[in-house]
Amino acid sequence: VRPFCDIALKDVYCKWQKQLHLLKDSDFNFLESVLALRTVILETLLENETDDASKDSIKDILTKHLMQLSEVARTASNTQLPERAIFQIKQHIPARFGVALWQLEEAQVFWAKKEQSLALASLRQLIDKLTLEVEYDPSLAPMYAECLRLSGIWLAETCLENPGIIIQRYLEKAAEVAESHSSTNSEELKSARMKAFLSLARFSDAQYQ
């Protein structure tokens, strides 16, 4: 029964993703109510689940959902909901040495809240860990490239590093990471590669203006 329930939940989540894509241009207040309802549904499922494997499956989907909620709210210039979403994720995910996508989202929440030092420090920690881990787990390449790209952009905005260092250590490296793992060819890596090269081109072009 359990595997069937897990598959059914994943199927529902996929449908939610498709619906959210269709609703992406909707009023944020409407989107917020839809996402809040989904949060309640997932947390209720988690509270009532007794099987450990099923709990892990629900936690995984809940984490993805809360990350999406955070991103949608952040895009709408709302910082309270993302902060709450990251807090909820931390309640369900035990602290460990490894890296996770929600940590990248947390850094972006710090930045949205104008906490630049915290945002940059979070990215530095992620980059240090990813530099080691991506060699053993190529699936981390999109996240690694995005961390490098964002660091470069944020350092440029805060004028904390000179343009040459920003290009060499961050923007060019982000493009190199995305390109060197192109054999995996996942949608996440394609997106990371496109953003990395675009940011590098824009920043380089700005230096010649």
Side-chain angles (χ1 to χ4, degrees), residues 97-161:
F97 178 77
V99 293
L101 266 174
W102 67 263
Q103 294 167 320
L104 174 56
E105 176 59 27
E106 182 180 34
Q108 293 177 87
V109 173
F110 285 141
W111 187 262
K113 291 167 60 185
K114 310 297 182 186
E115 297 176 358
Q116 285 98 336
S117 295
L118 272 175
L120 286 165
S122 296
L123 282 188
R124 274 197 300 271
Q125 289 179 355
L126 283 173
I127 288 169
D128 288 344
K129 292 176 182 178
L130 285 162
T131 300
L132 300 172
E133 295 193 21
V134 75
E135 294 182 22
Y136 305 101
D137 186 358
S139 69
L140 293 172
M143 182 181 176
Y144 186 27
E146 183 63 4
C147 285
L148 289 165
R149 186 187 75 86
L150 277 179
S151 286
I153 291 172
W154 292 352
L155 286 168
E157 286 187 29
T158 52
C159 300
L160 290 173
E161 196 59 88

Side-chain angles (χ1 to χ4, degrees), residues 159-174:
C159 300
L160 290 173
E161 196 59 88
N162 70 65
I165 295 294
I166 289 171
I167 289 176
Q168 185 179 2
R169 293 187 186 173
Y170 298 97
L171 300 181
E172 277 186 354
K173 192 171 179 181

Side-chain angles (χ1 to χ4, degrees), residues 2-198:
R2 184 185 61 75
F4 172 77
C5 292
D6 289 350
I7 292 169
L9 181 58
K10 287 174 182 175
D11 184 52
V12 168
Y13 181 69
C14 284
K15 289 178 180 176
W16 282 359
Q17 292 289 88
K18 291 175 183 176
Q19 289 171 354
L20 190 61
H21 181 71
L22 293 173
L23 295 170
K24 64 180 180 180
D25 296 323
S26 300
D27 178 70
F28 174 67
N29 290 328
F30 173 71
L31 276 178
E32 181 185 357
S33 62
V34 171
L35 293 168
L37 177 60
R38 292 177 180 180
T39 302
V40 171
I41 291 169
L42 289 170
E43 291 194 321
T44 302
L45 283 172
L46 185 59
E47 287 172 11
N48 290 285
E49 184 55 66
T50 55
D51 182 85
D52 288 341
S54 288
K55 274 189 172 184
D56 288 341
S57 180
I58 296 168
K59 283 179 182 178
D60 181 55
I61 289 175
L62 177 58
T63 299
K64 290 176 182 175
H65 163 72
L66 289 170
M67 278 176 53
Q68 196 167 48
L69 186 156
S70 178
E71 185 180 351
V72 169
R74 196 165 40 78
T75 304
S77 301
N78 181 311
T79 56
Q80 289 184 332
L81 279 178
E83 195 172 15
R84 194 183 313 152
I86 295 298
F87 176 76
Q88 286 174 279
I89 290 172
K90 288 180 175 179
Q91 285 186 310
H92 298 301
I93 305 295
R96 57 179 183 270
F97 178 77
V99 293
L101 266 174
W102 67 263
Q103 294 167 320
L104 174 56
E105 176 59 27
E106 182 180 34
Q108 293 177 87
V109 173
F110 285 141
W111 187 262
K113 291 167 60 185
K114 310 297 182 186
E115 297 176 358
Q116 285 98 336
S117 295
L118 272 175
L120 286 165
S122 296
L123 282 188
R124 274 197 300 271
Q125 289 179 355
L126 283 173
I127 288 169
D128 288 344
K129 292 176 182 178
L130 285 162
T131 300
L132 300 172
E133 295 193 21
V134 75
E135 294 182 22
Y136 305 101
D137 186 358
S139 69
L140 293 172
M143 182 181 176
Y144 186 27
E146 183 63 4
C147 285
L148 289 165
R149 186 187 75 86
L150 277 179
S151 286
I153 291 172
W154 292 352
L155 286 168
E157 286 187 29
T158 52
C159 300
L160 290 173
E161 196 59 88
N162 70 65
I165 295 294
I166 289 171
I167 289 176
Q168 185 179 2
R169 293 187 186 173
Y170 298 97
L171 300 181
E172 277 186 354
K173 192 171 179 181
E176 287 169 7
V177 167
E179 191 65 24
S180 64
H181 291 83
S182 58
S183 57
T184 58
N185 215 30
S186 66
E187 288 302 315
E188 291 85 359
L189 191 59
K190 287 178 183 176
S191 175
R193 191 186 310 136
M194 180 185 70
K195 289 195 287 186
F197 278 104
L198 185 60

